[in-house]
Amino acid sequence: MPDIDNSRPFIPLNIAVMTVSDTRTRETDTSGDVLEARITKAGHKLVDRAIISDDMAMIRGQLLSWIASSEVDIVISTGGTGLTGRDVTPEAFKSVYDKEIDGFSAIFHRVSYEKIGTSTLQSRATAGVSHGKYLFALPGSPGACKDGWDEILQYQLDNRYRPCNFVEILPRLQEHKQAG
C-alpha cells in the first residue's frame, strides 16, 4: 500500500508558483495563497511567486526564467487551463516540455471527477519535465489547487512516499545530456 516512509529524512524542494490571470492581484490571488500555504506547510521552500497575464509569450518567458534558475526545482501554476480563448497555459507549458507527464492529467481528472463530476472536462491540467525541472499546471480555482496538491503533488513531491516519487528521480532527469 502506498504510504510515507518516516524512516527516511524529508528533502525540501524549491518551488515557484505562477498564477495566470488578467484580473487577480496579490491581494485577490486565493488560489496562489492555497498553493503557498500547502507548499510551506509541507516543509518545502517557496522561492518565487508571480502573477502573469493570460499571454502565451509572458507565461513562456516566466517558465524559461524559472527553468534556467538554479534556485527552482519545481514550478506549479494555477489558472489559464480552461477552454476559453484566453486560456493558453497548457500551450505555453507544452512549448517548453522535454517530456510530458501524461499520467498527471489522468490522475488529476480522476480526483476532480470525484468532486465536480463531468465538469472536470473543462480543465486541461498538464505536467511535464523541462531541463531537469518539473512543471505542473493546475486550474485556477482554489478547490482545484487543493485537489492537485492534497491528492497528487504532496505525495509525489515527498521523497519519503513509497513505492516511488518524483523527488528520487529528479537528479536523473537530464542524464541523457550527461551521457553525451
Side-chain angles (χ1 to χ4, degrees), residues 121-138:
L121 291 173
Q122 295 183 33
S123 164
R124 297 182 302 137
T126 184
V129 175
S130 182
H131 296 85
K133 315 287 172 107
Y134 289 113
L135 311 175
F136 302 96
L138 296 170

Side-chain angles (χ1 to χ4, degrees), residues 36-85:
E36 180 175 347
R38 280 166 163 72
I39 287 164
T40 56
K41 183 179 179 190
H44 298 296
K45 182 178 179 187
L46 181 73
V47 294
D48 202 1
R49 184 170 164 186
I51 298 176
I52 305 296
S53 292
D54 288 286
D55 178 89
M56 187 153 161
M58 292 179 70
I59 297 165
R60 182 177 158 77
Q62 183 63 68
L63 286 172
L64 291 172
S65 174
W66 282 335
I67 290 165
S69 172
S70 62
E71 298 296 314
V72 176
D73 300 313
I74 312 290
V75 174
I76 304 172
S77 76
T78 174
T81 63
L83 300 173
T84 71

Side-chain angles (χ1 to χ4, degrees), residues 10-139:
F10 177 76
I11 299 172
L13 300 170
N14 294 327
I15 302 176
V17 170
M18 176 193 306
T19 298
V20 178
S21 175
D22 289 333
T23 59
R24 293 194 188 170
T25 65
R26 184 65 182 86
E27 292 75 31
T28 62
D29 183 17
T30 53
S31 295
D33 291 343
V34 163
L35 290 172
E36 180 175 347
R38 280 166 163 72
I39 287 164
T40 56
K41 183 179 179 190
H44 298 296
K45 182 178 179 187
L46 181 73
V47 294
D48 202 1
R49 184 170 164 186
I51 298 176
I52 305 296
S53 292
D54 288 286
D55 178 89
M56 187 153 161
M58 292 179 70
I59 297 165
R60 182 177 158 77
Q62 183 63 68
L63 286 172
L64 291 172
S65 174
W66 282 335
I67 290 165
S69 172
S70 62
E71 298 296 314
V72 176
D73 300 313
I74 312 290
V75 174
I76 304 172
S77 76
T78 174
T81 63
L83 300 173
T84 71
R86 298 285 294 154
D87 293 325
V88 295
T89 301
E91 289 79 9
F93 270 61
K94 290 177 182 186
S95 77
V96 301
Y97 287 166
D98 296 327
K99 294 183 179 182
E100 189 166 3
I101 305 170
D102 299 320
F104 178 80
S105 180
I107 298 297
F108 178 82
H109 284 294
R110 193 202 90 214
V111 167
S112 182
Y113 181 80
E114 297 296 321
K115 310 279 175 72
I116 63 169
T118 59
S119 295
T120 190
L121 291 173
Q122 295 183 33
S123 164
R124 297 182 302 137
T126 184
V129 175
S130 182
H131 296 85
K133 315 287 172 107
Y134 289 113
L135 311 175
F136 302 96
L138 296 170

Side-chain angles (χ1 to χ4, degrees), residues 158-177:
D158 188 330
N159 66 292
R160 303 169 300 168
Y161 185 74
R162 298 273 145 258
C164 56
N165 58 75
F166 286 144
V167 182
E168 58 196 2
I169 61 171
L170 187 60
R172 297 179 46 214
L173 294 179
Q174 295 197 81
E175 63 191 5
H176 65 287
K177 294 180 182 179

Side-chain angles (χ1 to χ4, degrees), residues 3-14:
D3 202 4
I4 299 292
D5 179 356
N6 286 311
S7 70
R8 298 173 58 124
F10 177 76
I11 299 172
L13 300 170
N14 294 327

